[in-house]
Amino acid sequence: MKPTPSGSDRLDLLHTFVRIVEAGSLSAAAAQLHTTQPTVSRRLQQLERLLGLRLLQRSTHAMKLTEDGERCHEHAKELLERWQALGVQVHTGRN
């Protein structure tokens, strides 16, 4: 049994998922993240297992968000934006 990802690992998985959606493909996301397509694919699979949801419908020529994937993408973007804003506030001392 694999260990449950830590909080920072979960944020990394969400960041990878958002990048996949915004880039339009796993290979484009991998290039943007400076990693390999198999690594991005493993991260997506890990996030799907963690959430117990299928986030993307993939074929050899296309990728489409599932209904769950659409909801997850919106929440993930919001969460990552809030996390980034928190980091700015902590480092600058602003609210």
Side-chain angles (χ1 to χ4, degrees):
M1 182 175 204
K2 290 186 178 184
T4 302
S6 70
S8 63
D9 291 340
R10 290 176 185 179
L11 286 175
D12 288 341
L13 295 177
L14 288 173
H15 179 257
T16 298
F17 174 61
V18 168
R19 182 62 52 218
I20 292 166
V21 173
E22 292 178 355
S25 73
L26 275 67
S27 57
Q32 292 176 12
L33 294 168
H34 307 290
T35 190
T36 65
Q37 187 273 334
T39 297
V40 169
S41 182
R42 278 192 302 274
R43 289 178 184 169
L44 174 61
Q45 290 170 0
Q46 188 176 8
L47 180 61
E48 287 179 328
R49 277 192 309 271
L50 181 67
L51 297 174
L53 302 170
R54 181 86 173 168
L55 301 174
L56 294 173
Q57 290 294 330
R58 293 181 277 173
S59 70
T60 54
H61 300 291
M63 177 187 80
K64 182 180 177 202
L65 281 169
T66 64
E67 197 173 304
D68 290 327
E70 288 179 24
R71 282 194 306 275
C72 182
H73 179 249
E74 289 305 313
H75 287 291
K77 279 184 12 180
E78 183 179 325
L79 178 65
L80 292 169
E81 288 168 3
R82 287 180 180 209
W83 182 252
Q84 185 176 13
L86 174 64
V88 169
Q89 288 177 4
V90 168
H91 286 32
T92 62
R94 287 193 249 151
N95 289 329

